[in-house]
Amino acid sequence: MTDLTAFAHGLPKAELHLHLEGTLEPELKFALAARNGIPLTEKTVDEVKATYDFTDLTSFLAVYYPAMQVLQTADDFFDLAWAYLQRAHAQGVVHAEMFFDPQAHTSRGVPFADVVTGYRRAAVRAQDELGISAELILCFLRDFSAEYAMATLMEALAYKSWIVGVGLDSDERGNPPEKFAAVFARAKAEGFFLTMHCDIDQVGSIDNIRTVLTGIEVDRIDHGTNIVEDPALVALAIEKGIGFTTCPVSNSFVTEQMKSDEIVALLRQGARVMVNSDDPAYFGAYIGDNYVAFAEKAELSATDLVQLAINSFEASWLTAGRRAAYIARVEDFATAAGVPLPARA
């Protein structure tokens, strides 16, 4: 019998929904605060974790953004990303497409260059020392103006070769996708891949999903499980090969459960859903942990986990050849473990 926990952690996988700022563990937060002379209200790890009392997206963001004050220099951003990539490596990640929020830093005076160069250094080191392929996705904060987003995009063009795509995150209330339509059109024209958060159970969730699919025409949707409310949209997403970067454990913090029923329903219909960790330092679960928690909640088989890992590569922004090579690694790992491969579509 397959040890599902060991199998889930060892399974080669891509992580496509990971906020680098959401990997700030309390221990690193204290170290960076000391380095930069920033006083903290909390004095112990337990006191920091006691603030992680989230009931919805808004309550999470109220803790998330203030914590970033300790990130001041390129070295800080390097240390943050490098710590994540080491943890991800230990949980089977071989390719990561990582979100970063430059406006959360430039809005408080940190130069864009310091943010992106710090993160880029970590990505290069991960390739050299861990064998992880790592890319950056620039996310615009939807509660800032579209003009600020466009200015951030223009600044990012100098680092175009370091950034694979653009995304949209933060508070969805009153900030629908169409607010940023012109920014995403320009990003697409510049050659960036597109993704947008359509967070779970937001006001107007299904309308926002429809907009990103048929108006903005993104390549992926982050979260997005409310699409099950409209079977026609599900069919369209499957036809388009849209990836859904679901995050079961983080879902369980901001809703009554991890949306396992919706994720499984999409999986069984052939949608390109996969499992990710979102903000693992705050939700206490990196990607392998998410695979295990989801498998236990939804009573998944090891073969189901293989399909989720294959989906993670199929939805990635790798070249076709590299994508196929990674999928072969997944299949070889499963075969070596005696796990049946999923039926091919």
Side-chain angles (χ1 to χ4, degrees):
M1 183 175 178
T2 303
D3 178 338
L4 200 63
T5 296
F7 182 79
H9 280 80
L11 185 65
K13 56 184 73 71
E15 176 135 61
L16 307 183
H17 189 145
L18 180 284
H19 298 270
L20 282 168
E21 289 86 358
T23 68
L24 181 61
E25 293 285 352
E27 295 83 356
L28 182 58
K29 180 179 179 179
F30 284 124
L32 296 182
R35 176 194 290 176
N36 294 317
I38 297 171
L40 296 177
T41 301
E42 304 84 18
K43 304 303 178 187
T44 68
V45 168
D46 287 342
E47 287 181 8
V48 172
K49 291 184 176 179
T51 67
Y52 299 173
D53 182 21
F54 314 127
T55 56
D56 55 19
L57 178 62
T58 304
S59 61
F60 165 70
L61 295 175
V63 173
Y64 182 63
Y65 287 124
M68 295 184 200
Q69 299 297 317
V70 301
L71 296 164
Q72 298 284 334
T73 69
D75 284 345
D76 298 341
F77 294 103
F78 166 81
D79 288 344
L80 179 64
W82 178 238
Y84 158 69
L85 286 162
Q86 291 177 90
R87 290 187 177 94
H89 175 66
Q91 298 211 4
V93 173
V94 294
H95 176 70
E97 295 173 8
M98 310 174 296
F99 298 134
F100 73 109
D101 290 332
Q103 291 169 288
H105 314 298
T106 58
S107 63
R108 55 189 176 85
V110 177
F112 183 98
D114 289 356
V115 180
V116 73
T117 56
Y119 285 152
R120 172 65 178 177
R121 280 170 48 208
V124 171
R125 183 175 178 183
Q127 180 68 69
D128 291 345
E129 297 186 19
L130 304 176
I132 292 181
S133 164
E135 301 285 356
L136 294 172
I137 301 172
L138 186 162
C139 278
F140 306 109
L141 300 186
R142 63 200 313 156
D143 35 10
F144 283 135
S145 70
E147 291 77 14
Y148 188 8
M150 186 67 84
T152 300
L153 176 62
M154 294 301 100
E155 191 166 13
L157 294 181
Y159 306 93
K160 202 172 184 179
S161 63
W162 294 357
I163 300 168
V164 69
V166 299
L168 184 67
D169 61 11
S170 200
D171 199 339
E172 198 164 331
R173 298 174 305 166
N175 297 298
E178 53 266 32
K179 173 180 173 182
F180 298 92
V183 180
F184 275 73
R186 177 61 186 271
K188 186 173 184 176
E190 294 288 349
F192 293 109
F193 289 104
L194 309 182
T195 188
M196 283 186 169
H197 276 53
C198 291
D199 282 296
I200 57 172
D201 298 344
Q202 299 294 299
V203 174
S205 281
I206 197 66
D207 295 326
N208 289 349
I209 292 169
R210 184 176 295 107
T211 297
V212 303
L213 271 178
T214 64
I216 308 294
E217 296 190 310
V218 297
D219 302 292
R220 286 201 302 253
I221 296 176
D222 303 310
H223 298 299
T225 48
N226 285 85
I227 197 171
V228 298
E229 298 166 16
D230 188 331
L233 278 184
V234 173
L236 177 62
I238 293 171
E239 179 187 341
K240 287 174 168 280
I242 298 295
F244 291 88
T245 66
T246 69
C247 306
V249 172
S250 77
N251 288 351
S252 70
F253 274 76
V254 297
T255 190
E256 290 184 359
Q257 58 103 346
M258 59 175 62
K259 297 294 182 184
S260 56
D261 291 347
E262 291 87 342
I263 299 170
V264 170
L266 290 168
L267 179 67
R268 300 297 182 227
Q269 291 178 74
R272 205 167 269 175
V273 293
M274 83 253 6
V275 166
N276 307 271
S277 65
D278 204 357
D279 300 282
Y282 292 91
F283 302 125
Y286 284 80
I287 190 168
D289 309 318
N290 269 266
Y291 269 70
V292 173
F294 180 47
E296 291 176 346
K297 175 68 176 178
E299 299 181 343
L300 299 182
S301 68
T303 298
D304 291 325
L305 299 189
V306 173
Q307 184 65 66
L308 290 167
I310 289 173
N311 288 351
S312 73
F313 292 108
E314 288 183 336
S316 74
W317 294 333
L318 290 159
T319 60
R322 293 180 66 201
R323 187 181 304 123
Y326 279 123
I327 290 172
R329 284 180 62 178
V330 174
E331 293 174 340
D332 289 347
F333 181 88
T335 299
V339 172
L341 298 180
R344 292 185 181 273

